[in-house]
Amino acid sequence: MGAEIIESCVIMEKSDGKLSQLSVKQGEPTLVCPAEETEKGLYFLSNLDQNIAVIVRTIYCFKSDEKGNENAGEVIKDALRKVLFHYYPLAGRLTISSEGKLIVDCTGEGAVFVEAEANCKMEEIGDITKPDPETLGKLVYDIPGAKNILEIPPLVAQVTKFQCGGFVLGLCMNHCMFDGIGAMEFVNSWGETARGLPLSIPPFSDRAILKAQSPPKIEYLHQEFAEIEDKSSTGDLYKDEMFYRSFCFEPEKLEKLKKNAIEDGTLEKCTTFEALSAFVWRARTKALNMLSDQQTKLLFAVDGRPKFNPPLPKGYFGNGIVLTNSICQAGELLDKPFSHAVGLIQDAIKMVTDGYMRSAIDYFEVTRARPSLSSTLLITTWSRLSFHTTDFGWGEPVLSGPVALPEKEVILFLSHGKERKSINVLLGLPASAMKVFQEQMQI
């Protein structure tokens, strides 16, 4: 790792319309090893970890009236050394096993840690509720010249101090190491360690409990992997300029959606997630101008932890989520009542049982297939994750969220506002489609 200091600049628009420049000076990256000797050797990753190996970048903004940011870097770095003892695979490196699958080589060489300084106050970085890779990307360290995920350590952290006394923790983590719940437990454990507290949820590290069955038993269709033909040439729309927007759904709006879903008497009940997912699935299908006989697929993750038999142990350090799906024709989705779309989502959730999840694990074992995103909407829900409770000694984050959306097919739900009762819907669409989508958001 070179000892150069990297300075990156990006122009930002302030709330008063004036442009300002975010300039971040990154110090030399260092390796943070676990505080004590840890297990060495190869660490198994389950098939639920395998097909989700994408890089996730998140930021947490902290500011305290009681104390400044002078020692933020060293407090967080020192706590990282200690917490890595419990989460030792994060100090290793990803490699490929003899079976051609991802596995962690627990070398103990450490996570990458960088301290940086910004040339402005934290509030000047603008609206972080909207993914903005260009601005927010400055707050997360990228490994120079990395050509694939094997060249990126599982955990990379950057602490950026701002002139107002606030600081931002920017994390770059591989999703194969944990899902949202696992990541949240890790970051909260890191915060507890920084405050000198024991871990309230110690990690359960043995992922072999999710090994494939022998012989494999595939008992379901698993259409989450189905490749759908793009009859509507939606791919061409994406050649247009992409627009990123966030739409806020306050509690009243969410209640109204739920009411709309059950008013025709077809459904007895409906959750916020089901109503909101159905609403955006229909709006996006319309916005992308899909042909009536075009098949469209909705993918979303269901937390399998309580649904496995027996349930996964508390603190399971790995992916316990399973993708479920619903497929129908665009015409059917848009022409039938709203309750029909909600019903499709309820059926997709009901489908997730222990048998279904074991079958999905075995399906990957046999086919090595990745879920296909053609003519698909993938909804990722962060609104139920309590990242906002993370505390390194400067109080809870004033803001936290993703740096960018991982794929163009992804829509993100984030909790927002007072008591986190509102949900922000974040997405990117081609300019022409975003205009239609925006009109659909009026309810």
Side-chain angles (χ1 to χ4, degrees), residues 299-316:
L299 282 180
F300 57 92
V302 171
D303 178 20
R305 283 169 168 73
K307 291 174 181 270
F308 275 106
N309 186 11
L312 293 185
K314 195 170 163 59
Y316 179 75

Side-chain angles (χ1 to χ4, degrees), residues 327-348:
I327 294 184
C328 73
Q329 291 192 335
E332 176 194 337
L333 186 66
L334 298 176
D335 300 340
K336 288 196 171 177
F338 180 50
S339 57
H340 176 72
V342 176
L344 289 174
I345 291 169
Q346 291 183 345
D347 292 342

Side-chain angles (χ1 to χ4, degrees), residues 51-57 131 133 149 175 238 242-245 284 288 299 323 370-380 382 402-413 426-430 434:
N51 62 16
I52 204 164
V54 294
I55 298 294
V56 182
R57 295 176 176 86
I149 58 165
H175 208 313
Y238 279 98
M242 287 289 281
F243 272 67
Y244 291 91
R245 291 270 150 82
R284 184 177 175 273
L288 290 172
L299 282 180
L323 283 176
R370 296 268 188 285
S372 164
L373 292 180
S374 57
S375 303
T376 295
L377 164 60
L378 172 56
I379 292 179
T380 303
W382 285 24
V403 166
L405 292 168
E407 304 277 352
K408 66 181 192 308
E409 295 84 2
V410 173
I411 287 185
L412 198 56
F413 291 176
L426 312 180
L427 79 158
L429 278 174
M434 186 58 91

